[in-house]
Amino acid sequence: MKLLKMLKTQIAAALVLIMLLFGTIFTLSMVALNEQQSYNLLLNITTRLEQTAQNLVTLGMNYAMNVPQDSSSYDRDVKLYYRAMLGQIEMIDDITNSFMTNEFSPALTNAGDPYHPHLTPAAQQAVLAVEEIWKSFREGIIDALGNNNGMPRLDTAAEYIARFHAPLAASIDILLTKIQQQTEQQLNQVYQVHLALLFTAVIITLGVFGWFYLVVLKPLKNAVSGFQKVAQGDFGYQVPIASENELAIMTHSFNALSIRLYAIFRLIDKIQQGSDLNETLGFVAEEFSALLPLDWVGGLFVTCDNNTIVLEGSYRNGKPEVAQRTRYPLRNTLLLKALESGEPLHIPNMPATGNENADFQFLNYLINAGLKDAIFLPIKDLSPIPGVLAFATRQENAYTPEHLELLANIAGLITHSFGKTVRLAEHSRLAAIGSFASGIAHEIRSPLSTISMALDYFRSSELPGAASKRANLAHKEAERMARLLEEILLYAKPLQLQLQLLDLKQLLLQLFETHQEIPQQKQQHFECAATDDELNILADPDRLTQVFLNLARNACDAAPEGSTIHWHLTREPLSRSIVISVNNRGEPIPNDHLEKLFDPFFTTKTNGTGLGLSIVKRIVDGHGGDIEITSTQKQGTTITLQLPQA
């Protein structure tokens, strides 16, 4: 009985019923098609009989109108008319004999097997009439031709055919009419049965669809409406349940979820409003007490040495607590186990667990505070600093599987909120550092210009060899510092683009011509190939030139002396983008370096600033493009840019 109430059983039964109905209709359609082909074949044979008889009559009449006047013409007619007459007579014999024996050979039907038609009594009477008339007509033709096959009386036979052909034509016409009537009658019966079955199938299908709407679509529509209401913020909405199938189970689960969402909505709202860690912990301590037993909650974050973890803040009985000890070892602890697994860790019997291991100092701290059951929730993937959110209660075995399931389901929201709090603090610190670095760069640039001018003066003076060498070295370092400051300021300030329509190939060719000194330093040269003519993009020419100059210098620095730097441009119609690849045959870049090439201040060059590729990526991203670097021993290093097509 329970199985019959299951939605999958009911749907399967309905589908089987529909398949059986339409299978029957399909089978009947095939039968009707075969019947149609059979009757069409019978009609074609009868029509062929009629046509053959007409051909025989036509031959006779034509000969009667054109009787030869000399022996040579007669010899010609013997070869033509006589043989044609005998051929038509033989064909009529074959067809009438097949009608009489009710078996048509493959030679007549062009089919693989003999054909045995089913004829009605009226059609059979018409066949007998044709056979009788043809037998008499045939004997008359043969008598008229005479017994001399070498000198047949064609004129007499032609006159006989012209005078006595009417009864044969009339009988064949009657036969054709009877067979047409039989065909229409049989096909009409098949059509009526087919129509009745089709009507029955439509009625049953409509009934199945009506049942499907009431049992499946309508409850599903109500569920979707409930989902939409919850999505719009009505977290307490309940969907009505009117059945006992799988949809009802799903709706019941949704209603339970809706109630739970309503319970945690205020918590999430307050967590998002938290401005710092202590305030966020206060929200958790206040709101989570309605969802699970909670006497203590605290946030711990790993220090930079990864050996200890710090209790940054905690709440006890809903009030902030000043911890007696804020730093705990991390090695060989349950805190580390939770961080490594990335899953909530439940410690149901803390006194027994903590007393067994002296390394569990944080756990013993909780035990000394009178807490007996705890859950460690790792804050790892969504936070720049790994940490653990600890829940604890004074009750033994207080956290049931339902509590753990709830916490596991909303763990992502909680850790995201705490990660957001930590990230906001980290971003504020980084923003302050960036602003400070930008200010320092501005302050250093002016005295650095003065130093460069002084070094230029000393370089232009006549100095001893060692002093001149030191002055040149200092000047180069000053130039490098100036470049670094410019790149820091460029990287720090907001990116503003002046977009215009550009021909990418022409931009590259112009850049190669203007900056020929780049490849000439190592006797290298650039080679540019394009697979399409339409390579237009919407971009800032100055910024894009800056990107290509950086890539050109990097490629020349990495490629061997005298080698070729290959630039390849192509258009991708599906993504509507232009792809630019720059390939050099230099030494491959290690995999651990590939992951860091776009990081600010990462460089493998002795005199590099580490900001070139970071700026390149920032400009490419600003154009809505993408950049990727691959490097292998066989292919060398390839930088691939993808920019939107105009």
Side-chain angles (χ1 to χ4, degrees), residues 5 132 215 316 330 436 581:
K5 292 183 179 180
E132 183 177 352
V215 177
R316 185 181 181 89
L330 188 59
F436 174 74
S581 63

Side-chain angles (χ1 to χ4, degrees), residues 330-334 336 357 359-360:
L330 188 59
R331 184 178 179 184
N332 297 327
T333 64
L334 296 175
L336 181 60
N357 196 324
D359 292 333
F360 296 169

Side-chain angles (χ1 to χ4, degrees), residues 24-98:
T24 304
I25 293 173
F26 175 77
T27 303
L28 185 62
S29 298
M30 295 303 298
V31 171
L33 181 61
N34 290 333
E35 289 287 334
Q36 178 69 50
Q37 292 175 345
S38 175
Y39 288 124
N40 286 341
L41 186 60
L42 188 60
L43 284 172
N44 290 337
I45 294 173
T46 309
T47 303
R48 189 174 179 182
L49 175 63
E50 182 183 41
Q51 186 64 40
T52 304
Q54 289 177 356
N55 291 340
L56 180 62
V57 173
T58 302
L59 284 171
M61 289 182 174
N62 288 340
Y63 190 84
M65 294 174 61
N66 299 282
V67 176
Q69 303 300 322
D70 51 41
S71 60
S72 61
S73 299
Y74 176 77
D75 292 339
R76 181 200 61 195
D77 291 346
V78 167
K79 294 180 180 179
L80 295 177
Y81 283 94
Y82 182 55
R83 292 179 182 177
M85 285 181 183
L86 292 180
Q88 301 302 319
I89 291 171
E90 183 179 357
M91 178 59 68
I92 296 175
D93 285 341
D94 290 343
I95 296 176
T96 54
N97 290 336
S98 297

Side-chain angles (χ1 to χ4, degrees), residues 248-515:
I249 298 174
M250 183 192 73
T251 305
H252 178 75
S253 300
F254 169 77
N255 289 339
L257 173 63
S258 176
I259 294 174
R260 187 165 289 179
L261 281 175
Y262 184 73
I264 67 173
F265 169 69
R266 292 177 58 211
L267 167 67
I268 301 303
D269 183 57
K270 288 189 176 182
I271 285 178
Q272 296 298 327
Q273 297 175 11
S275 58
D276 56 32
L277 181 62
N278 286 328
E279 187 175 355
T280 305
L281 282 174
F283 292 152
V284 172
E286 178 183 353
E287 296 295 337
F288 260 64
S289 58
L291 300 177
L292 74 166
L294 185 62
D295 298 312
W296 185 94
V297 61
L300 302 94
F301 290 91
V302 179
T303 58
C304 58
D305 60 4
N306 292 325
N307 291 323
T308 57
I309 191 167
V310 178
L311 179 61
E312 298 287 353
S314 61
Y315 272 70
R316 185 181 181 89
N317 299 325
K319 297 180 180 179
E321 178 186 54
V322 179
Q324 298 178 358
R325 185 175 183 183
T326 60
R327 188 180 293 267
Y328 300 94
L330 188 59
R331 184 178 179 184
N332 297 327
T333 64
L334 296 175
L335 293 169
L336 181 60
K337 183 178 179 181
L339 285 171
E340 290 176 344
S341 67
E343 301 291 337
L345 180 63
H346 180 209
I347 305 96
N349 189 2
M350 286 198 300
T353 305
N355 293 331
E356 292 175 357
N357 196 324
D359 292 333
F360 296 169
Q361 294 186 18
F362 173 70
L363 201 63
N364 287 321
Y365 162 74
L366 297 179
I367 295 171
N368 294 332
L371 302 169
K372 298 179 180 179
D373 200 354
I375 297 175
F376 294 163
L377 183 65
I379 305 171
K380 184 178 179 183
D381 296 335
L382 302 173
S383 173
I385 304 174
V388 173
L389 184 63
F391 304 88
T393 178
R394 290 187 294 268
Q395 306 174 31
E396 293 183 358
N397 301 317
Y399 296 124
T400 64
E402 288 76 15
H403 293 139
L404 294 175
E405 182 180 1
L406 170 63
L407 196 58
N409 289 335
I410 64 176
L413 293 173
I414 300 171
T415 55
H416 174 75
S417 300
F418 276 88
K420 177 183 176 182
T421 302
V422 177
R423 285 200 306 276
L424 287 175
E426 183 71 9
H427 289 169
S428 299
R429 184 180 70 85
L430 291 176
I433 293 175
S435 178
F436 174 74
S438 180
I440 289 294
H442 276 290
E443 293 297 327
I444 293 177
R445 188 162 57 170
S446 295
L448 186 60
S449 298
T450 304
I451 293 173
S452 297
M453 292 173 60
L455 290 172
D456 286 337
Y457 172 77
F458 285 121
R459 291 175 64 211
S460 62
S461 303
E462 295 183 2
L463 297 175
S468 177
K469 187 181 293 184
R470 290 188 179 93
N472 289 330
L473 180 61
H475 183 266
K476 290 181 180 179
E477 290 299 313
E479 287 183 337
R480 189 171 72 86
M481 289 295 296
R483 260 194 335 269
L484 177 60
L485 291 176
E486 289 297 331
E487 290 186 353
I488 289 176
L489 291 174
L490 180 62
Y491 187 75
K493 68 181 180 181
L495 181 65
Q496 296 181 351
L497 301 176
Q498 302 295 327
L499 302 179
Q500 56 183 274
L501 190 64
L502 298 176
D503 187 325
L504 199 55
K505 183 177 180 181
Q506 293 300 322
L507 179 68
L508 278 176
L509 294 177
Q510 183 178 356
L511 182 143
F512 296 160
E513 182 178 356
T514 306
H515 297 275

Side-chain angles (χ1 to χ4, degrees), residues 4 16 84 158 179 190 192 196 224 239 282 288 300 323 338 358 396 421 423 440 473 546 553 599 628:
L4 295 177
V16 168
I179 291 179
V190 173
Q192 289 177 354
V224 170
V239 179
F288 260 64
L300 302 94
E396 293 183 358
T421 302
R423 285 200 306 276
I440 289 294
L473 180 61
Q546 183 180 359
R553 291 192 179 99
D599 294 346
E628 181 183 9

